[in-house]
Amino acid sequence: MSKPAIKKSIKPKKTATPYKKNFGDTLAMELTYIKRGEKHLNADFMGGILLMLITILLILGLAIFTAVKDIENGFAERNLNMYKALANNVYSKVESIYDESNPEPVQALVDGFKNSKTIAYCLVLSEEGHVLASTFALPNPEIDVTTNKVAAKFLSQLGINNTTDFEGKNCAHSMVYVGFYNDTMFADKVSELARSFMGVFVLCLLLGIWLAAGIGRRVMKPVKGLVKATGKFSEGDLSDRLEKCQYVEFNELVDSYNGMADSIQKLYSTLEHQVRERTRQLNDAIKELQDTQAMMVHSEKMKSLGELVAGIMHEINNPINFIYGNMSHLKNYSQDLFALIDDFDKFKDDLTPEHKAEYEKMLKDIDYEFLKEDLPDLIKSCHEGTERTKNIILNLKDFSRMEESAITNVDLPKEIDSTLNILNNKFKHGITVKKDYHDDVPKIEAYGGQLNQVFMNILDNAAFAVEGKENAEVDITIRKDAKFAYIEIQDNGKGMDEETKDKIFNPFFTTKPVGQGTGLGLSISYKVIKNHNGSIDVQSELGKGTKFTIKLPLLFEARETVSGEKKNDIEVI
């Protein structure tokens, strides 16, 4: 069993009796305020409450009135949309059944609208203006050529008023005019309610003006000053200060506000400086982190690629050389064998009939004539294939020379062609590559491996942009002026909008599907060109294609560092 709860008697605590001012003290304090030209708000308190109540009523009335008008407008818009849908339905029905030789189906359709409570009228005219079908009692309807609608005067003669009329619609060699009755029941109720609210609103407005005329000037002046000051304060202007008035409570608020503004202004100045400094440091750290991350990812990628290319070249080069070297011997041996068989064929008549038949059977079994014709072509195609494989290996060797740490003379047309050979698998399917290499373009001083990487990234993106497009085309132009060489790579692919174009050089930004792009290609390319004291410009229009223009100096010059010192080497990426 649970123990019964024991009630303890609680003694009431003694509270201090609040000090009550006597009449004399209160009178003395009020006289002091009067001498100072101040007074309490108590005298205006009741008037302020009344004004506030009236103001609330005005706001509520205005809000309700606005809401009702919004509902009315929404109802009208809904009706208009409904009428448009009905009109389109009428147009489609007329167009589907219209037949110049048989207007009866159209007349039957229009006759069905005569007793409609929604459709006010429907008129179908031929191209010559003859009436094909009509709901009108009068035979010759009038059309207002200015508005392309049934004339309002004509509708009034038939007692058709307050309608929503649509312009004539050309449907299958005919003009269709249709109108709908306006639903005024809700509008009348709304108007009646609006008039009632307007009357209440006017009465409240007059009462509010009468009350505000007496106390508004005295009370609202310091309030407006406070509102103005707080508005500037919220916008960041901390220099504005309030002036004292005749009300004690407002003066206390003024002192508090001014003191707060002074403190916040000092604190804001300090914090603003600290935030700017921290923001700058954070942006620098983020940019450095992004660059470092991009370089690390790219470094690992190129390291793996270099090892893979080196291994492939080593494993493929020797057997390809064996095959390539033996192709000429195989060709000579086959020619000798065919010559021997042809010479032996001259003496086949000297053989015994049995041997001659066996010899001819052997030639037939191996299809000697076809073999004699096809084997040279087969050896030729094998020779061309091994020669192409050797060229691909040499191109890969040129492309993968990322370890170069010295500036060399780079032949731009050769490097472009080498890159195109590596990307041949992407460019051979319906993509036309047009080359315009000016003859006067000399070799430039640069890092060939790094430039190959730039060309690879841009040409790969161009192939991706025109993929699946009919008449896909990539134009490559190499030209020069007195100091610079220009490489222009233009495609007629998808193109880019301005928002995408502004981001393409950002690390890890890509428009390719997941798994097909890392977002580092153009970012690295931009850095490579900048390290060569060049520039890369992009022009693109959505749906029309993209053009990259690379500008490189003919002679390499030391680039300026942040500290103003000249750096004689380029950062190897």
Side-chain angles (χ1 to χ4, degrees):
M1 296 178 62
S2 61
K3 294 181 180 180
I6 300 175
K7 295 183 179 180
K8 294 182 180 180
S9 59
I10 301 175
K11 297 181 179 180
K13 295 181 179 180
K14 295 182 179 180
T15 57
T17 303
Y19 172 77
K20 295 183 179 180
K21 297 181 179 179
N22 55 35
F23 179 77
D25 295 336
T26 302
L27 182 58
M29 185 175 294
E30 291 297 330
L31 291 174
T32 303
Y33 289 152
I34 293 174
K35 291 180 179 179
R36 288 160 48 183
E38 298 176 348
K39 66 177 180 178
H40 289 283
L41 288 173
N42 295 338
D44 299 326
F45 182 73
M46 293 305 297
I49 291 179
L50 182 59
L51 179 61
M52 180 178 64
L53 292 176
I54 295 175
T55 304
I56 293 174
L57 181 60
L58 290 174
I59 294 174
L60 288 176
L62 183 60
I64 295 173
F65 178 78
T66 304
V68 170
K69 294 302 290 182
D70 289 341
I71 294 174
E72 182 182 8
N73 294 334
F75 184 81
E77 183 178 2
R78 181 185 68 82
N79 283 345
L80 180 60
N81 292 332
M82 181 183 68
Y83 293 155
K84 288 181 179 178
L86 291 175
N88 290 330
N89 190 19
V90 172
Y91 299 152
S92 62
K93 287 183 178 180
V94 172
E95 189 169 13
S96 63
I97 65 175
Y98 178 79
D99 186 359
E100 292 182 359
S101 61
N102 184 18
E104 293 182 1
V106 177
Q107 182 61 53
L109 173 66
V110 174
D111 288 341
F113 300 149
K114 289 184 177 180
N115 297 324
S116 174
K117 295 182 179 180
T118 303
I119 299 178
Y121 64 87
C122 182
L123 172 64
V124 181
L125 301 179
S126 65
E127 290 182 335
E128 294 78 12
H130 302 303
V131 178
L132 300 178
S134 171
T135 60
F136 298 133
L138 297 179
N140 297 317
E142 297 180 11
I143 304 299
D144 190 344
V145 295
T146 304
T147 61
N148 192 23
K149 297 179 181 179
V150 177
K153 182 179 180 181
F154 176 77
L155 294 176
S156 298
Q157 294 176 1
L158 297 176
I160 301 176
N161 299 307
N162 195 15
T163 59
T164 299
D165 305 315
F166 287 86
E167 296 181 1
K169 174 72 174 181
N170 190 352
C171 300
H173 306 290
S174 65
M175 294 295 293
V176 180
Y177 299 86
V178 64
F180 301 89
Y181 291 113
N182 290 330
D183 187 359
T184 61
M185 180 183 66
F186 181 82
D188 294 339
K189 294 293 184 181
V190 169
S191 298
E192 182 180 352
L193 182 60
R195 286 193 294 270
S196 299
F197 276 116
M198 184 61 69
V200 175
F201 177 82
V202 171
L203 291 177
C204 294
L205 181 61
L206 294 176
L207 184 59
I209 292 174
W210 180 73
L211 291 174
I215 61 175
R217 295 178 183 177
R218 294 178 292 174
V219 177
M220 294 307 295
K221 183 177 180 179
V223 172
K224 290 181 179 179
L226 178 61
V227 170
K228 181 180 178 181
T230 53
K232 292 183 177 180
F233 189 87
S234 64
E235 295 174 357
D237 184 5
L238 306 179
S239 61
D240 195 21
R241 297 294 182 267
L242 296 178
E243 297 181 358
K244 290 187 177 182
C245 61
Q246 58 181 350
Y247 297 112
V248 176
E249 291 81 359
F250 273 112
N251 289 338
E252 292 176 354
L253 181 60
V254 167
D255 293 336
S256 177
Y257 173 83
N258 291 339
M260 178 189 68
D262 291 337
S263 301
I264 292 179
Q265 187 174 22
K266 294 179 182 178
L267 180 62
Y268 181 80
S269 299
T270 304
L271 288 178
E272 187 178 18
H273 175 73
Q274 292 178 353
V275 168
R276 284 199 299 265
E277 183 64 21
R278 293 291 187 273
T279 302
R280 185 189 63 80
Q281 295 175 359
L282 181 60
N283 290 335
D284 293 343
I286 291 174
K287 186 177 185 304
E288 183 177 357
L289 181 61
Q290 289 177 340
D291 292 342
T292 303
Q293 185 180 12
M295 292 300 104
M296 290 177 64
V297 172
H298 181 69
S299 178
E300 290 298 322
K301 176 181 176 182
M302 296 311 299
K303 179 180 178 182
S304 300
L305 179 61
E307 293 175 355
L308 177 64
V309 170
I312 292 175
M313 287 192 300
H314 178 73
E315 294 296 331
I316 294 179
N317 193 43
N318 288 336
I320 288 299
N321 284 333
F322 295 154
I323 297 173
Y324 184 79
N326 291 331
M327 279 293 110
S328 59
H329 299 299
L330 180 60
K331 179 180 179 181
N332 295 332
Y333 295 162
S334 64
Q335 291 175 351
D336 293 341
L337 287 175
F338 287 140
L340 176 62
I341 294 174
D342 291 341
D343 291 340
F344 182 79
D345 191 66
K346 298 176 181 179
F347 302 99
K348 66 179 180 179
D349 294 334
D350 298 337
L351 298 176
T352 63
E354 295 80 6
H355 289 164
K356 181 178 180 181
E358 183 179 359
Y359 169 71
E360 291 178 348
K361 183 177 181 299
M362 291 175 60
L363 294 180
K364 183 177 181 181
D365 290 341
I366 65 174
D367 198 356
Y368 173 73
E369 294 299 329
F370 171 77
L371 187 65
K372 181 179 178 182
E373 180 181 353
D374 187 61
L375 186 59
D377 294 336
L378 183 64
I379 294 174
K380 180 181 178 182
S381 64
C382 292
H383 185 273
E384 292 175 352
T386 53
E387 186 173 9
R388 174 164 174 74
T389 305
K390 284 185 62 180
N391 292 334
I392 292 175
I393 292 174
L394 292 175
N395 291 331
L396 285 173
K397 182 178 179 182
D398 292 337
F399 180 79
S400 62
R401 60 182 190 275
M402 307 303 295
E403 72 280 358
E404 291 183 353
S405 58
I407 296 174
T408 59
N409 291 326
V410 177
D411 187 350
L412 292 177
K414 178 182 177 182
E415 302 299 336
I416 293 286
D417 291 340
S418 176
T419 306
L420 288 173
N421 286 335
I422 296 174
L423 294 173
N424 180 67
N425 187 53
K426 293 188 176 183
F427 278 89
K428 68 181 181 181
H429 299 296
I431 301 177
T432 302
V433 179
K434 295 184 178 180
K435 304 175 185 178
D436 183 12
Y437 301 161
H438 292 200
D439 296 334
D440 59 345
V441 178
K443 295 181 178 180
I444 68 171
E445 296 179 353
Y447 286 94
Q450 292 189 16
L451 291 186
N452 278 341
Q453 182 185 357
V454 174
F455 301 150
M456 170 73 77
N457 292 331
I458 297 178
L459 288 171
D460 182 70
N461 287 341
F464 176 79
V466 300
E467 184 178 4
K469 179 181 177 64
E470 294 184 3
N471 301 321
E473 184 176 304
V474 176
D475 297 332
I476 305 173
T477 302
I478 303 177
R479 56 184 177 85
K480 77 169 187 73
D481 59 18
K483 294 184 178 180
F484 295 94
Y486 300 89
I487 303 97
E488 299 174 355
I489 301 175
Q490 183 173 0
D491 64 72
N492 62 346
K494 306 171 185 176
M496 298 175 286
D497 54 26
E498 289 297 326
E499 182 179 359
T500 302
K501 190 174 74 171
D502 293 339
K503 298 178 181 178
I504 58 173
F505 294 119
N506 294 346
F508 307 107
F509 176 79
T510 180
T511 58
K512 295 181 179 179
V514 177
Q516 296 188 23
T518 62
L520 292 175
L522 290 180
S523 175
I524 299 300
S525 300
Y526 181 83
K527 189 173 182 62
V528 167
I529 298 302
K530 286 297 182 183
N531 283 343
H532 281 79
N533 296 321
S535 63
I536 180 169
D537 178 66
V538 184
Q539 297 175 350
S540 184
E541 187 174 350
L542 195 62
K544 293 188 176 180
T546 303
K547 178 180 179 181
F548 282 85
T549 302
I550 302 172
K551 177 182 176 182
L552 292 170
L554 300 178
L555 300 176
F556 178 76
E557 297 179 0
R559 62 188 178 94
E560 296 286 342
T561 62
V562 176
S563 61
E565 299 176 355
K566 287 192 175 182
K567 191 172 182 179
N568 294 322
D569 59 336
I570 294 180
E571 178 183 356
V572 179
I573 301 173

